[in-house]
Amino acid sequence: MGIEGVGARVARKEDKRFITGAGRYVDDMVVPGMKHAAFVRSPHAHAQIKKIDVKKAQAMPGVIGVLTGKELKADGIGNLICGWMIHSKDGSPMKMGAWSPLAFDRVRYVGDAVVIVVAETKGQARDAAEAVEITYKELKAVVDASKAMDKGAPQIHPEADNNLIFDWDIGNADETAAAFKKAAHVVKMDIVNNRLVPNAMEPRAALGHYDKAEDHYTCWTTSQNPHVARLVMSAFYNVAPENKLRVIAPDVGGGFGSKIYIYPEEIVCLWASKKTGVPVKWVADRTESFLTDAHGRDHHTHAEMAFDNDHRILGLKVETKANLGAYMSLFSSATPTYLYATLLSGQYDIPAIHANVKAIYTNTAPVDAYRGAGRPEATFVMERMMETAARQFGVSPAELRRKNFITSFPHQTPVIMCYDAGDYAASLDAAMKASDYAGFAKRKAAAAKKGLLRGIGMSCYIEACGIAPSAAVGSLGAGVGLWESAEVRVNAVGTIEVLTGSHSHGQGHETTFAQLVNERFGVPLDSVSIVHGDTDKVQMGMGTYGSRSGAVGMSAIVKALDKVEAKAKKIAAHLLEADEGDIVIENGALKVAGTDKNVPWFQMALAAYTAHNLPGGMEPGLKETAFYDPSNFTFPAGCYICEVEVDPETGTTEIIQFVAADDFGNIINPMIVEGQVHGGLAQGIGQALLEGAHYDNGGQLLTASYMDYTMPRAGDLPSFKVSTSNTPCPGNPLGIKGCGEAGAIGSPPAVINAITDAIGSNDLAMPASPSTVWAAIRAATKH
């Protein structure tokens, strides 16, 4: 391990530009002749569009164009699609309702885009947008998925009877029913995963530029996967031919999944640029983000778990209603199915599982993958169930989990996943030790003397990362492959450029990817550049989501480095008149093992490009490309323990201690991993205690600003105790599992388990706000 290589706590290279304000985001981009856009959005959750009058807006100062959905359709721009086909259990395909980038006949949620206004300034565009006159016929709306299938509920899309998108299941219903018949104990729960707004620091933005001279389009956008955006916008939305469309995702200020998708605004800005003859920039304000960014979670679940007399799990039944909002977003269908139900075995050896998922339309913002994407929902179900079962049985929650842990690997679950490696007891032991679990009773007694209720809660999570392999996900309905690409260019003076299909929006790729190169070739980090986010510079790649950058993206880089190393050793062996098998690379030089004969890295690189003295038949240059398609998912796992104090008079909860013990496999940069865990914990604790998107019955978003939607602040969070153990992943060359989502997956049930332990009631919904906790205490006291 070098001082800058794999395993080193290297400060992030990219942070200098971020903390000095030198980052370059979409809103920083200025193109000659650029104008500004504002969208006219529906104020109604459900309505017919009877008439659109743009005359007054067109006459306003600075206005260049006012464009509608009818014009967009006339130009052949396609509907937005969901890219993962799910079939119902009867074999019928999912019911995908039409989603026009600009609504022209009907609006289906508050914020649905109807008209785009292009003007000289942002202020002029917004003023003119307010002058657009739209006549609506308001229709009945439904916002609750559990009510959207009721008789008399409004029909949101003609394609989906009773608003049912699909009725899907997984596992074996007969085997699960048989397991329940022989059960000694059955634990039942109704569980809600609350709806969340992603709230990335940088709102979404798009800058579309049509160059008439070259008949070429460029789109700067806040995207986690620019190549997928280019593919979809060209192949499905007919914005431009793929070879005439460049998509650039520069610095992106957070994504959390919400910037995976292609939204109406990118499509419309590109189209509007051609239509108006000027580059068109749109930047969301925060309320637009609340209204239109893809929301997360929103599951209503009934779960039942069967145990034998010895408290071993026999079977699990889960029924979930997943609210997908008004339209199907790009990967929305996969989130409550293959990213959720396939993880319902948790860390436990469960012989029989059956899960049914109904995906349902409502008059709310579309719902898609948000940090964790299905795995937080599955973990919340499993870990609330396990904690509740332990309380019903009067046994230790830790020991109930330990008794049911999977201990032999590989382990095939009843719901597709084959866990390759893990040591769940090691994480449990580490968390219990770090939290002084054994000493909790004393602390609880001390808190009681102060009139406070102290509780402790546990969560043992597992997740599937590096979503793959392509053939497998293709067979399950994915519209794209989930491989990754890399290109490694060694320049003539020995500096190195790594071009990656992965995209960095907070993960620290410019540092960790460079550490990988340093470890291999010994060149300093400053000599390594990481290039990403531009479809004209980087070959086709699949982007960043699902904690895949390490396991998949870095594995592609390793494959390219292997090819570079092989050629470099051939050149060095030729220059040193040695056998290729004797060449080793150490400290930035290629050496003959056991001798002092060496050639510096830069000298070898120069030789590759001067080509004066190369082995016979060798091509000049030193540049290699690789594509990597993983053989399996990776399976990070861990144990989180939360300790809280609750004031029974006010319901206020304070997190006294939070311990996270994770197994991420091999780690490139421990400091960056800790940062990812801290961020994930903050988001998970936010979900548990504070955050929740709420609509009224008419479909108006009541939590459309930070005045109403509560984000966690520093004062809401403790100083986390984090640690890692390591069972390397056998499925990729680096042994990496992924760390980006774990904190958000494992923390919500740990928090809720702690609060319910404190107040003596299992009946507590997220977010556990003071009023919610206070009401739960009063309800428990009445019983």
Side-chain angles (χ1 to χ4, degrees):
M1 183 181 79
I3 59 170
E4 293 185 323
V6 172
R9 301 177 70 88
V10 177
R12 298 194 340 166
K13 291 172 63 178
E14 49 270 75
D15 282 351
K16 182 177 180 181
R17 74 173 184 275
F18 293 144
I19 63 177
T20 58
R24 300 189 70 228
Y25 301 88
V26 173
D27 194 29
D28 295 315
M29 303 302 163
V30 177
V31 177
M34 183 183 80
K35 309 303 178 187
H36 297 268
F39 284 86
V40 182
R41 301 187 181 277
S42 171
H44 305 294
H46 199 196
Q48 288 180 350
I49 299 172
K50 305 300 286 185
K51 183 183 178 183
I52 301 175
D53 187 344
V54 301
K55 291 190 182 70
K56 190 184 293 184
Q58 285 174 328
M60 291 187 68
V63 172
I64 292 159
V66 184
L67 305 172
T68 68
K70 285 187 178 178
E71 294 166 273
L72 180 121
K73 285 296 165 196
D75 286 350
I77 302 299
N79 290 328
L80 284 88
I81 60 162
C82 176
W84 194 304
M85 173 55 72
I86 297 293
H87 287 81
S88 290
K89 56 189 179 185
D90 65 3
S92 61
M94 65 191 189
K95 307 302 190 288
M96 184 165 58
W99 184 6
S100 173
L102 290 176
F104 60 92
D105 58 350
R106 183 179 290 206
V107 290
R108 294 179 171 87
Y109 73 103
V110 173
D112 216 347
V114 183
V115 174
I116 183 174
V117 177
V118 180
E120 292 285 344
T121 69
K122 188 183 291 187
Q124 289 173 330
R126 288 179 172 178
D127 288 344
E130 291 184 9
V132 174
E133 297 177 356
I134 303 175
T135 304
Y136 295 98
K137 179 185 177 184
E138 196 169 354
L139 304 171
K140 187 180 174 185
V142 62
V143 300
D144 186 338
S146 61
K147 297 177 181 176
M149 293 177 62
D150 290 349
K151 188 176 180 181
Q155 180 77 27
I156 297 172
H157 288 279
E159 297 88 347
D161 289 340
N162 296 321
N163 298 314
L164 180 65
I165 301 168
F166 55 76
D167 183 355
W168 175 91
D169 68 358
I170 192 171
N172 190 305
D174 292 339
E175 289 179 6
T176 306
F180 272 78
K181 276 187 181 177
K182 62 182 182 182
H185 310 280
V186 175
V187 177
K188 301 179 181 181
M189 290 189 78
D190 290 302
I191 295 169
V192 175
N193 257 280
N194 44 327
R195 177 183 280 241
L196 304 173
V197 179
N199 277 312
M201 187 178 293
E202 178 198 20
R204 288 189 299 113
L207 168 55
H209 180 204
Y210 173 67
D211 186 325
K212 186 176 180 180
E214 294 190 8
D215 188 27
H216 185 274
Y217 298 77
T218 303
C219 178
W220 288 265
T221 180
T222 47
S223 175
Q224 297 177 216
N225 47 356
H227 278 102
V228 174
R230 184 175 75 156
L231 170 66
V232 173
M233 284 197 286
S234 60
F236 296 100
Y237 306 152
N238 305 317
V239 175
E242 192 173 12
N243 64 317
K244 294 187 176 184
L245 174 59
R246 178 184 186 184
V247 177
I248 303 170
D251 289 329
V252 173
F256 313 123
S258 70
K259 293 174 183 172
I260 296 171
Y261 326 113
I262 292 83
Y263 289 89
E265 291 86 4
E266 292 100 317
I267 302 164
V268 175
C269 283
L270 279 168
W271 167 73
S273 177
K274 184 174 184 180
K275 203 81 175 164
T276 60
V278 297
V280 175
K281 181 197 277 189
W282 166 80
V283 179
D285 62 30
R286 187 54 68 180
T287 295
E288 281 183 294
S289 294
F290 272 101
L291 289 172
T292 66
D293 288 3
H295 291 178
R297 319 286 192 251
D298 207 341
H299 282 196
H300 285 69
T301 296
H302 177 74
E304 299 185 10
M305 193 177 284
F307 292 82
D308 67 13
N309 267 320
D310 196 33
H311 301 149
R312 293 189 182 276
I313 305 171
L314 298 175
L316 174 69
K317 290 192 292 191
V318 174
E319 294 178 1
T320 293
K321 291 179 179 177
N323 186 346
L324 295 193
Y327 301 102
M328 295 192 76
S329 178
L330 190 63
F331 290 120
S332 60
S333 58
T335 305
T337 53
Y338 292 113
L339 297 181
Y340 163 68
T342 55
L343 273 297
L344 284 171
S345 192
Q347 297 186 5
Y348 311 111
D349 187 357
I350 305 178
I353 299 174
H354 180 251
N356 172 248
V357 176
K358 293 179 175 67
I360 300 163
Y361 285 120
T362 64
N363 295 113
T364 61
V367 176
D368 210 320
Y370 167 63
R371 198 172 192 169
R375 289 96 83 199
E377 296 92 309
T379 299
F380 194 73
V381 169
M382 290 303 297
E383 293 307 294
R384 290 289 289 123
M385 291 289 285
M386 290 300 284
E387 199 85 6
T388 301
R391 292 170 189 172
Q392 286 189 18
F393 303 155
V395 300
S396 159
E399 295 316 307
L400 181 65
R401 289 175 168 89
R402 192 188 302 276
K403 176 176 285 189
N404 286 283
F405 278 159
I406 296 160
T407 56
S408 177
F409 296 90
H411 175 85
Q412 179 64 54
T413 74
V415 280
I416 295 181
M417 294 299 183
C418 182
Y419 301 165
D420 51 13
D423 185 348
Y424 308 143
S427 295
L428 176 64
D429 291 340
M432 291 177 72
K433 183 178 179 181
S435 65
D436 185 20
Y437 197 81
F440 171 71
K442 281 185 180 178
R443 298 192 295 276
K444 184 179 180 73
K449 289 179 180 177
K450 297 185 290 181
L452 299 173
L453 306 174
R454 197 164 181 124
I456 195 165
M458 178 180 287
S459 168
C460 293
Y461 78 90
I462 190 167
E463 60 164 324
C465 293
I467 181 170
S470 294
V473 297
S475 72
L476 300 177
V480 293
L482 292 171
W483 44 267
E484 196 46 87
S485 71
E487 181 182 336
V488 176
R489 299 175 182 172
V490 181
N491 298 319
V493 292
T495 57
I496 297 173
E497 297 167 48
V498 177
L499 292 83
T500 172
S502 300
H503 185 276
S504 181
H505 38 277
Q507 292 86 350
H509 294 171
E510 292 175 37
T511 304
T512 52
F513 289 11
Q515 285 182 260
L516 198 61
V517 178
N518 168 270
E519 182 78 8
R520 183 69 72 96
F521 299 143
V523 297
L525 295 188
D526 287 344
S527 294
V528 183
S529 299
I530 310 300
V531 181
H532 65 93
D534 186 334
T535 60
D536 269 16
K537 292 181 178 179
V538 180
Q539 66 190 2
M540 178 83 178
M542 299 313 296
T544 293
Y545 39 84
S547 302
R548 70 192 304 269
S549 297
V552 187
M554 293 181 89
S555 292
I557 295 171
V558 166
K559 287 187 68 176
L561 292 174
D562 289 343
K563 297 177 183 179
V564 168
E565 180 177 333
K567 186 171 182 179
K569 284 182 174 179
K570 282 186 172 70
I571 295 170
H574 180 75
L575 295 174
L576 294 169
E577 298 179 341
D579 188 273
E580 185 184 327
D582 291 334
I583 300 297
V584 295
I585 303 177
E586 294 176 355
N587 300 321
L590 298 99
K591 303 175 181 179
V592 180
T595 75
D596 59 0
K597 292 175 67 177
N598 71 84
V599 57
W601 176 263
F602 76 88
Q603 194 172 316
M604 177 280 304
L606 188 61
Y609 286 93
T610 58
H612 297 160
N613 184 18
L614 291 177
M618 178 179 280
E619 293 180 354
L622 192 52
K623 181 184 84 167
E624 298 290 349
T625 293
F627 290 78
Y628 176 76
D629 198 359
S631 58
N632 192 5
F633 290 79
T634 68
F635 298 97
C639 178
Y640 293 172
I641 296 177
C642 177
E643 196 165 327
V644 301
E645 283 185 346
V646 177
D647 183 342
E649 297 302 317
T650 64
T652 302
T653 298
E654 181 183 358
I655 297 178
I656 303 300
Q657 176 178 253
F658 200 104
V659 168
D662 296 289
D663 179 357
F664 297 135
N666 293 332
I667 289 173
I668 304 299
N669 187 318
M671 185 165 60
I672 288 177
V673 167
E674 288 164 12
Q676 287 287 310
V677 173
H678 284 195
L681 292 176
Q683 281 181 284
I685 291 168
Q687 175 176 5
L689 291 182
L690 302 163
E691 298 184 48
H694 294 282
Y695 288 86
D696 70 13
N697 290 333
Q700 294 295 328
L701 184 62
L702 301 176
T703 50
S705 77
Y706 290 137
M707 295 292 287
D708 308 294
Y709 185 97
T710 311
M711 293 280 283
R713 300 184 180 187
D716 298 309
L717 305 171
S719 183
F720 303 120
K721 294 181 180 179
V722 302
S723 66
T724 56
S725 54
N726 181 5
T727 54
C729 173
N732 62 66
L734 288 167
I736 288 174
K737 294 184 178 181
C739 69
E741 296 165 285
I745 292 168
S747 55
V751 174
I752 299 300
N753 286 340
I755 299 172
T756 53
D757 179 57
I759 67 176
S761 169
N762 278 323
D763 189 13
L764 184 67
M766 295 190 290
S769 64
S771 61
T772 301
V773 173
W774 184 88
I777 294 170
R778 295 299 172 276
T781 305
K782 286 177 185 176
H783 296 309

